[in-house]
Amino acid sequence: MTKDVIALTPRMPDPWAVLAGLLSGGPDKLASTRGEGAVVQLCDREGRPLVSVEAPLLVSVEGEAERLLGAVPPPVPYWWTEARATTGVAEAEQLAGTFAARLAALIGGSAWPPDAVGSIAVVKTDGVSVAPEPAAAQPAIDVLTERVAVVIQDRPVVAMTAWLSDAFRAAATAGLGLQIVSPADTTLSPAVRDALGGRPSRWIVQDDQDGYYDGLTGAVLRWQDGSFDPVLSPDATEEDPRTPVAAAYQQVHDTGERQLALTFRTVHPADERLVLGGGLEAVWRELTGEPPAGWGTAEPANLPWSPARLTDVAHGRAPEPTWFVVVGHRSRPGIATVRVTRTSAGVEEEVALAFGYGAGEEPPLDALPVAAEALATRHHLQSMLVQLRKARRDIAVPPRFEGPGVPLAFVLGAEEVRAMPGDRARRVPLDGRPVPLGPRTRQAMYYPLPGDPSDLTGWQEFERLMRHLKGAQSAFGRNVADCRLQ
């Protein structure tokens, strides 16, 4: 049974409905709050949480419950209320299910997953207690060691929920890695993949044949010395520490689906009139014909698209960085993550964006130069890399090999072109000629590259271009590194 239970209701759960749900363990159970009241917990007799309930979230973006849960919610706007049961306590899971069932019974709607929601009767919890602090102190963390924090997720899509985002922050503050454990049929949101970073943070997939493996690399893993780490092959040496790759990870099936991935960075002068998100919207419109559908500071993305409101949130958090997720309409699956940072150069937006296409759909490659010109001339583009990948149309990341993206184009912003010595930016050793973007007095450069996913020569051409443009490497090096990992 899953540890997470979610109520999807047409009305906001009022205090009486929440109280009725919390009494699912009987009137003698203790209740407490965390996060300035944003999380309500049902506790055992020693005050340790059995079930943690997050404040209801109003979702005004269509398709998010379908994308993340495979559930049919009420019409938008609807309320999304999560309850997380403490790991390893069967009664806690029953409490979470009864809590969601009571909410749905009182105010309508439904709960996910259906099999986790049973009777609305009081759950017997006499004598039940949970693990001591510090593991129970953070609702999203199931196991805590000196090396890592482990989160168990049994959901169709492991998404960057508010709870998981809190777990990332808590682990980073403590200097720990975050390891996410999920079943074999789970996929990963790109927002979570991009946040995992490097070792010891991992996505661990449970597997019948190999036990556990890394969902992003395929490396077979074992729990050792307080974390999941790779197993060494029998013929491994210090010079060549080989790691076996899980058989399930290597089961590749080309369905004909593709993703068009764009990673770019813009740097705006710090100005009170600055509105963020304009560059992302311009690219989205050029490639899909419509703006994004919604955005949020976690998944599900719950707010209708609004650059002005996004800017207000980033401004209110400055000088601390702000992270956003942006999603598209059902007609064209798309997701972007945006990181806004205040630096000495101004206000930076780092964007990782992907659109999905089915076997019979063609990505609008002809629109790429137009989208690049919009970024370069109106949104202070620094650099952009465009790739085509063999990957799922729904943008979800499966626990198997999908292959690297192949570069379609690289774009260098006008300021970076002007900073290049001589005419270096225009005289490049490529088969295709660079395309100037914008007015002659302030031109950016668009470099077309081979983009056949079955052929990696595109990376060879890209590396030749980077060597040629090494004078500007310091300006866009981080962006290039981020792009290559997509």
Side-chain angles (χ1 to χ4, degrees), residues 67-127:
R67 177 175 73 91
L68 299 176
L69 302 176
V72 179
V76 294
Y78 60 88
W79 293 87
W80 177 303
T81 306
E82 293 211 19
R84 180 171 175 82
T86 297
T87 303
V89 182
E91 292 83 358
E93 298 174 11
Q94 295 174 33
L95 285 172
T98 301
F99 169 82
R102 287 188 172 193
L103 282 189
L106 286 169
I107 59 177
S110 61
W112 176 92
D115 60 358
V117 181
S119 170
I120 62 175
V122 171
V123 177
K124 294 181 179 181
T125 58
D126 295 339

Side-chain angles (χ1 to χ4, degrees), residues 30 65 74 78 94 116 139 183 228 300 307 315 322-323 337-338 410 436 453 475:
L30 302 175
Y78 60 88
Q94 295 174 33
F228 284 97
H315 186 269
T322 305
W323 180 93
T337 58
V338 183
F410 180 75

Side-chain angles (χ1 to χ4, degrees), residues 287-352:
L287 297 181
T288 71
E290 55 190 353
W295 69 284
T297 55
E299 292 179 290
N302 64 309
L303 299 169
W305 176 245
S306 171
R309 292 190 65 184
L310 183 149
T311 302
D312 289 342
V313 172
H315 186 269
R317 294 184 178 184
E320 295 299 317
T322 305
W323 180 93
F324 302 106
V325 61
V326 181
V327 298
H329 298 270
R330 296 180 184 179
S331 58
R332 174 58 56 214
I335 187 170
T337 58
V338 183
R339 183 176 177 84
V340 179
T341 310
R342 183 72 168 89
T343 69
S344 57
V347 180
E348 295 189 10
E349 288 182 276
E350 297 180 58
V351 178

